[in-house]
Amino acid sequence: MIRWRLNEVMARHRVLAKDLADFIGVSRNAMSALKKSESIPRVDGERLEQLCIGITKLSKIGEKVTPYDLIEYIEDET
């Protein structure tokens, strides 16, 4: 299973949804939908890059964010 971790990463970096939405140029509703997704939403490489750059620049903890931070692979136990 692939899990989308945007909400967790934003919380860890203390980045507000409205600030990230403004930074990447999407509506607050669109950002809310991206944050609430449990499975990976359909985002292209450009949007994924914008999310990483935006969180990195707005981060209160000063750590770089990569696509690998936003996506988690959990192997099925079957």
Side-chain angles (χ1 to χ4, degrees):
M1 172 171 80
I2 298 176
R3 210 168 63 86
W4 182 239
R5 300 184 59 229
L6 178 61
N7 193 34
E8 296 166 37
V9 171
M10 288 176 65
R12 187 176 76 236
H13 287 265
R14 297 189 301 269
V15 173
L16 299 176
K18 68 179 184 71
D19 294 337
L20 186 55
D22 291 343
F23 186 89
I24 66 172
V26 299
S27 71
R28 292 182 184 173
N29 287 342
M31 181 55 63
S32 178
L34 278 173
K35 257 182 79 173
K36 290 180 182 180
S37 286
E38 297 251 343
S39 60
I40 187 167
R42 291 186 182 265
V43 291
D44 62 12
E46 183 179 342
R47 177 69 71 215
L48 193 56
E49 183 177 23
Q50 289 172 341
L51 289 167
C52 292
I53 291 169
I55 296 170
T56 298
K57 289 195 179 209
L58 298 169
S59 175
K60 305 290 189 285
I61 64 172
E63 291 178 4
K64 185 176 181 179
V65 174
T66 70
Y68 300 110
D69 297 317
L70 298 176
I71 300 167
E72 177 182 29
Y73 174 70
I74 302 169
E75 195 168 332
D76 289 338
E77 295 179 10
T78 55

